[in-house]
Amino acid sequence: MRKAGADMADMKDANARVAAMVAGIAKPKTPRRTGRLAGTVRHNRALASAQVVAGRASAPYPWYVHAGTTDLAARPWISEAATSSEPRWTETYRREVQRIADTIEGV
């Protein structure tokens, strides 16, 4: 797309929309004891990917909850949110790439 002259900032916006969609699905499914972890689920606006992140200094344990440990069963709520919403976010990407392609002369 760069060679074709597409503005990669457009993909940054699409990535943000997709990440917000997945984060919105993941947040209410966050395993809860105190609710602190759920309050850390958010999305980033990145150029190369849709990023959903969880955790902060006050809740530094999201990976352990997500992936599990020898004493804690895995609860991959973010991965499950991405998987369950895949048809929606792939359509978002398809529309965005098509919109960009439509603006490129000769495509």
Side-chain angles (χ1 to χ4, degrees):
M1 286 176 49
R2 282 188 186 135
K3 285 183 179 181
D7 183 0
M8 293 307 291
D10 291 341
M11 288 308 297
K12 192 172 188 177
D13 293 339
N15 289 335
R17 285 194 305 275
V18 167
M21 176 191 313
V22 173
I25 294 166
K27 191 169 188 164
K29 295 180 179 200
T30 305
R32 296 173 193 269
R33 282 193 186 167
T34 65
R36 185 179 297 163
L37 183 57
T40 71
V41 176
R42 61 205 181 279
H43 70 281
N44 289 336
R45 190 170 182 268
L47 180 62
S49 63
Q51 297 178 352
V52 177
V53 295
R56 291 200 169 101
S58 63
Y61 45 83
W63 178 250
Y64 300 106
V65 175
H66 200 270
T69 67
T70 56
D71 299 325
L72 179 68
R75 299 180 71 188
W77 81 101
I78 296 173
S79 296
E80 290 170 355
T83 300
S84 70
S85 61
E86 186 174 358
R88 290 175 42 203
W89 56 258
T90 54
E91 179 60 20
T92 298
Y93 279 131
R94 188 202 63 75
R95 281 193 315 263
E96 185 62 22
V97 169
Q98 185 61 57
R99 187 191 67 72
I100 292 169
D102 289 346
T103 66
I104 300 170
E105 204 171 305
V107 174

